[in-house]
Amino acid sequence: MQRIGVFVCWCGSNIAATVDVEAVSEALKLEPGVVFSTNYQYMCSQAGQNIIKDAIAEHKLTGIVVCSCSPRMHEATFRKTAAAAGLNPYMVEIANIREQCSWVHKDVPTGTEKAIILGKAAVAKVNLNAPLIPGETPVTKRALVIGGGIAGIQTALDIADAGFPVDIVEKKPTIGGKMSQLDKTFPTLDCAACILTPKMVDVAQHENIRIFSYSEVEDVKGFVGNFDVTIKKHARYVNEAACTGCGACTEKCPQKKVPNEFNLGMDNRRAIYIPFAQAVPKVATIDPNYCNMLKNGKCGVCAKVCAAGAIDYTQKDEYIQEKYGAIVVATGFNPISMDKFDEFAYNQSKDVITSLEFERLTNAAGPTAGKLLRPSDGKHPHTIVFVQCVGSRCDAKAEKGKEYCSKICCMYTAKHAMLVKDKYPDVDVYVFYIDVRTPGKNFDEFYRRAVEEYGVHYVKGMVGKVVPEGDVLKVQASDLIANKQLHIDADLVVLAAAIEPDKSARPLATKLTASMDTNDFFTEAHPKLRPVESPTAGVFLSGACQGPKDIPETVSQAGAAASKVIGLLAKDKLTGNPCIAHSDEMMCNGCSTCERVCPYGAITYMDKEFRMPDRTTAIRRVASVNPAVCQGCGACTVACPSGAMNLRGFSTQQIMAEVDAICK
Amino acid sequence: MSSNKKFLQEELTRMSGVNPKKCMKCGKCSGTCPAYDEMEYHPHQFVSMVESGDIEPLLNSKSLYRCLTCFACVDRCPRGVEPAKLVEAVRLVAVRKQGANHMTANDVPAMLDDDIPQQAIVSAFRKYTK
Amino acid sequence: MKVSYFPGCTLKNKAKDLDLYARRSAEVLGVTLEEIENWQCCGGVFTTSNDEVATKLSSVRALKEAAAKGQPLVSVCSACHNVIKQTNHAMQNDAFFASKVNNYMGQEPYAGETTVYHYLELLRDVVGYDQVKAKVVNPLAGKKIAAYYGCLLLRPNSTMQMDDPENPTIMEDLIKAMGAEPVVYARRNECCGGYVTMENPEFAKRKSLDIIENAKAAGAEVLVTACPLCRYNLQKAGTDMPVVYITELLAEALGVKEVTNEQ
């Protein structure tokens, strides 16, 4: 029989105003197992905690019930109090008589009655509680960062600077991500490459960082502190160690008509290529879809001109196994397809472009060497129309676009407009907007400069139709302030396309058993208080894979994710949550139901030898819970058809005892 | 809002299936409307005025008969508001009143030429009369 | 194969060509258009208000007749197709409307079982453009043809589901199958002015001119359409741009235009 102490908190007047605390502590005194019951103004205060400690010692308590606020508030506090008094912390139960009782009821009799019932349930549970000891697992002191854009780069650098080895897996031939394609950055207009490329070099030279470029995560097993990851390194048909990045091959390759994805197809590259001058690693890659040698064995020019002998047409995909303690997802974003928005004629005219294409058009390393020229005829545009919110803020019923605000478009469009006016003051620039959203440091000032100093025409309204005719784009739009329909002959139309998570994110989330929202953004463990952690232990989030973000926000989040990783890797051992599932092997029938419902991949099956009642032995397939991976969600316990699964600290028997106490 | 206005507003949203509260006031409908310059009240104003209960001016406006029901605003609205359906509902409320037909059979002969297809006449009748 | 056919009022009168060429061409392609008995005018436009029942009954009658024969229902006129397809969609998805209709009409209740095709969809999805191409005896080589869709074929897209409503290809692909060169221009899905031409012909003329200018700038030599009212408005714009029915071109390509004209 337990010796239970009950401690009823007033929480000032928060509880005491609607609950007769004295009546509660008196009523609970009569419950089975209760040997002591009291109430106090603030149980969480030092004095309140001392009442608990003293009572544990004096009455030799084996379990306690604190009737107070939500366990989310002070369960940890009271567990520490119990532990300090020599009681196992899992012998503490909280009855929430504040959020779920005093705050939602108005009259004292009702509140008091409910508080007593909640207290009885907690007492019933403690009667069945057993001391629990959390397990420990070792930590592999190495981190994996998936994605080599600015988010991944910053996270990797911060972890590596703290002294832990980091691997970056990037699916493109170079790290750098979207930021490497940008021209200038808001709100300061400093050049993206000038601030990004030194970081890329830092990554390349950091003794703690390895880069797996042109590689993808193939498989993830294991759990926090102990992930087993298989990385697939695509054959680039170039020996990375030997290639000096001299570029001789990329000049001599006869296959010149390959759309250059770095410039979004606005110019061509060769079949063997280095994406851009500052690529890291600066190593050539052969595109097997276009290389004549790989396709039909007829060419071999690159091998002939390569002084380093780095070309290897026989190279195969390689699989690398590595162990990691933590995984950071930094898979980034892409602009959405404009196929469903062809009222803007994106698929009907080369001079209707997306904002990312515009970045390449104004970039000195872009297809026009930074001169603003129309893609169709290379002429200098005189009137440019920017359209905001293309595919953002759409209703789900409209079946096109995204419901969310893409967040970065208002600012980059102000930037584009300003860059145009700065280089070519003669150009007329229109920006059609629904709202101009500028909540960031120096952001609104930046936008106002575009309007007031540079004379960009901001029009509150939307473009309804773009008609390419001859060499102009006839833009029909509303001006809601003037209550007019505008007809503008433009030379270039730039669409601020909504952004969406990279397509690789969804399959990756499945491999990581990390949760995602309906838009395929990774979900954070808590939207406010744990914004860089996935609900899956050991998986962290960096950058736009979690939601639309600009560069300053991405870098902040990247650093935050790194600090969480460092905090994890700094530990030698991880203390687990003891409230986890376990299977009664004698009852388990090996049906795999629990394995299928487990969102964390914590359950595996094994064949085990059992002694049968007739003294023979039999091999049976039974479920086994990995205590380091189980998060104690309880899904398996309700799914298990034979009742073999149970959650420590929340066993079926404990919960039924609570229900019984409430219903009595 | 008076109970009369409220009734009319509810009637219009029920008939049309349009929820004007979904509008984010982007102006796409009025940006895309081919009949914009023929209208005194423009598509976005229909949505906004029905939402605020200011329906009387719409009922009396010739704008009702300028909408082509081409559905450009319906397909292109990012919020799925479907303004043309609201215009149609207001027009029906107007022409369903006794003697309020916008067009009568007597008006038709003057509008005809040798080539005009029957389709034009029946369409106009369906839109303008009850 | 045999399909139910709803010609509509205009195809029996001002747009006889559209009808005859459609029937004749379909025969060549192995499809018989069986005219529905006692069909009534569709009304020209679909009234979107969900309390309008009587104006949609003629469409339901035609749909039910096709259902009784177990055939899809085909029309050529864009307006008829639009009204019938939207009515069928309402019968499928608006239970309140459907119950009112079924209560009034009595007999077997109808819930939108009939498949509704526009003639172009029949060619693309049932016959197949490969099949059309194979039957072309008089390829329209060298002709630059601009398809004019207007609004009724494509919108509302959620119901019509014919093609990409902003950048359609169903007519362009047919033009290619006939051996001609399709001309793509952005105003091909903008309204010609429709029935407003009755009251305000000047307005319809402006809208039509915009369309023709856009097609001309893209290099069009001829405009094709499936809608008699579109054709009327485009012709009344008074330009030298020829505007013909798509079925006329089809009959020409299939080598049956002369035969049809003699009938």
Side-chain angles (χ1 to χ4, degrees), chain A residues 52-83:
Chain A
I52 296 175
K53 284 184 200 165
D54 293 347
I56 290 172
E58 190 181 328
H59 298 280
K60 298 191 172 52
L61 301 181
T62 60
I64 64 169
V65 168
V66 186
C67 303
S68 61
C69 49
S70 159
R72 292 203 77 116
M73 285 295 291
H74 278 308
E75 187 177 60
T77 313
F78 294 122
R79 278 184 174 164
K80 272 186 203 152
T81 311

Side-chain angles (χ1 to χ4, degrees), chain A residues 289-307:
Chain A
N289 297 320
Y290 290 93
C291 171
N292 289 330
M293 190 65 185
L294 290 171
K295 278 169 75 180
N296 49 35
K298 289 185 189 134
C299 185
V301 169
C302 51
K304 285 188 202 110
V305 300
C306 179

Side-chain angles (χ1 to χ4, degrees), chain A residues 267-290:
Chain A
D267 65 356
N268 291 327
R269 60 164 170 81
R270 309 292 174 105
I272 186 164
Y273 65 108
I274 298 172
F276 54 98
Q278 303 96 328
V280 170
K282 187 141 187 208
V283 174
T285 303
I286 296 180
D287 186 335
N289 297 320
Y290 290 93

Side-chain angles (χ1 to χ4, degrees), chain A residues 231-561:
Chain A
I231 297 164
K232 180 182 184 180
K233 211 167 174 323
H234 294 284
R236 70 199 313 161
Y237 307 103
V238 173
N239 180 344
E240 268 185 58
C243 176
T244 60
C246 71
C249 54
T250 66
E251 280 165 28
K252 291 288 189 284
C253 172
Q255 178 50 277
K256 299 176 181 174
K257 289 273 157 83
V258 185
N260 182 359
E261 51 280 89
F262 187 71
N263 285 333
L264 300 151
M266 289 189 290
D267 65 356
N268 291 327
R269 60 164 170 81
R270 309 292 174 105
I272 186 164
Y273 65 108
I274 298 172
F276 54 98
Q278 303 96 328
V280 170
K282 187 141 187 208
V283 174
T285 303
I286 296 180
D287 186 335
N289 297 320
Y290 290 93
C291 171
N292 289 330
M293 190 65 185
L294 290 171
K295 278 169 75 180
N296 49 35
K298 289 185 189 134
C299 185
V301 169
C302 51
K304 285 188 202 110
V305 300
C306 179
I311 308 294
D312 175 7
Y313 299 117
T314 65
Q315 205 176 62
K316 297 268 176 297
D317 293 346
E318 203 184 323
Y319 292 88
I320 296 149
Q321 302 274 345
E322 191 57 88
K323 280 187 174 298
Y324 299 98
I327 297 176
V328 182
V329 183
T331 44
F333 71 95
N334 281 302
I336 65 167
S337 157
M338 290 286 93
D339 285 354
K340 286 188 173 174
F341 300 92
D342 226 32
E343 68 266 31
F344 298 116
Y346 178 80
N347 290 329
Q348 300 175 52
S349 168
K350 281 185 168 180
D351 297 329
V352 180
I353 60 173
T354 65
S355 298
L356 194 56
E357 288 164 353
F358 186 84
E359 293 281 351
R360 298 312 300 153
L361 274 192
T362 53
N363 191 300
T368 56
K371 288 199 193 74
L372 185 57
L373 303 172
R374 301 193 340 154
S376 65
D377 55 11
K379 284 187 189 156
H380 170 58
H382 296 284
T383 304
I384 305 179
V385 169
F386 288 90
V387 188
Q388 298 272 265
C389 297
V390 179
S392 295
R393 307 168 69 185
C394 292
D395 185 72
K397 200 181 140 208
E399 285 177 356
K400 48 184 184 181
K402 305 290 178 186
E403 284 188 80
Y404 50 84
C405 164
S406 293
K407 199 173 187 179
I408 56 177
C409 326
C410 283
M411 286 303 290
Y412 70 58
T413 298
K415 173 190 79 178
H416 291 163
M418 223 184 282
L419 289 174
V420 171
K421 292 295 275 186
D422 194 49
K423 270 193 198 167
Y424 311 99
D426 61 311
V427 176
D428 251 343
V429 179
Y430 294 86
V431 176
F432 285 89
Y433 70 93
I434 305 172
D435 303 287
V436 182
R437 295 178 167 174
T438 56
K441 188 174 172 183
N442 294 323
F443 280 16
D444 206 66
E445 298 91 317
F446 182 82
Y447 147 62
R448 290 311 308 168
R449 258 172 66 205
V451 178
E452 293 170 28
E453 285 178 35
Y454 288 90
V456 177
H457 309 298
Y458 266 77
V459 184
K460 162 98 183 114
M462 195 63 178
V463 172
K465 178 86 179 176
V466 176
V467 176
E469 190 166 305
D471 59 357
V472 298
L473 299 165
K474 290 179 173 294
V475 176
Q476 180 182 307
S478 55
D479 179 339
L480 297 181
I481 305 289
N483 201 13
K484 276 202 299 202
Q485 195 174 61
L486 302 182
H487 299 269
I488 300 166
D489 283 352
D491 304 306
L492 191 67
V493 170
V494 186
L495 308 177
I499 60 173
E500 65 182 355
D502 190 80
K503 294 273 181 262
S504 66
R506 173 61 65 177
L508 180 65
T510 309
K511 287 171 195 158
L512 293 168
T513 63
S515 52
M516 286 189 137
D517 63 19
T518 51
N519 294 310
D520 280 6
F521 286 115
F522 281 88
T523 319
E524 53 282 3
H526 188 284
K528 285 137 204 159
L529 302 178
R530 294 174 69 193
V532 300
E533 294 158 83
S534 153
T536 303
V539 176
F540 302 88
L541 310 174
S542 177
C545 69
Q546 181 256 346
K549 270 179 203 69
D550 59 23
I551 296 169
E553 263 191 291
T554 296
V555 171
S556 314
Q557 204 204 14

Side-chain angles (χ1 to χ4, degrees), chain B residues 58-77:
Chain B
L58 299 176
L59 285 169
N60 297 320
S61 170
K62 292 279 176 276
S63 303
L64 291 177
Y65 314 104
R66 300 292 173 259
C67 167
L68 298 156
T69 332
C70 75
F71 286 111
C73 57
V74 170
D75 269 18
R76 292 171 187 161
C77 171

Side-chain angles (χ1 to χ4, degrees), chain B residues 11 13-17 32-38 62 64-76 82 84-86 88-89 91-92 96 102-103 108 110-128 130, chain C residues 9-11 13-15 41-52 54-56 58 77-80 82 86 96 151-152 154-158 165-166 189-200 203 206-207 227-230 232 236:
Chain B
E11 182 69 3
T13 52
R14 189 190 56 73
M15 286 166 68
S16 63
T32 209
C33 179
Y36 185 97
D37 288 332
E38 305 296 311
K62 292 279 176 276
L64 291 177
Y65 314 104
R66 300 292 173 259
C67 167
L68 298 156
T69 332
C70 75
F71 286 111
C73 57
V74 170
D75 269 18
R76 292 171 187 161
E82 309 188 317
K85 294 188 178 177
L86 203 55
E88 181 121 300
R91 179 173 52 231
L92 281 171
R96 278 173 184 174
H102 177 66
M103 186 191 249
V108 173
M111 297 174 176
L112 301 183
D113 62 28
D114 287 346
D115 303 320
I116 200 158
Q118 285 68 27
Q119 179 195 351
I121 307 165
V122 293
S123 300
F125 251 83
R126 183 133 295 174
K127 287 286 173 189
Y128 297 156
K130 262 295 145 201
Chain C
C9 56
T10 313
L11 275 72
N13 204 309
K14 295 287 181 194
C41 172
C42 70
V45 283
F46 179 81
T47 316
T48 55
S49 186
N50 56 25
D51 62 356
E52 279 278 321
T55 53
K56 294 158 190 168
S58 73
C77 169
S78 308
C80 299
N82 185 280
Q86 291 213 63
F96 180 69
C151 9
L152 295 166
L154 301 167
R155 292 191 291 260
N157 179 51
S158 55
E166 301 298 350
N189 64 343
E190 292 299 300
C191 184
C192 64
Y195 54 84
V196 171
T197 193
M198 296 275 293
E199 271 205 313
N200 194 349
F203 167 67
R206 279 202 301 281
K207 291 290 127 183
C227 176
L229 182 50
C230 295
Y232 170 81
K236 284 287 156 185

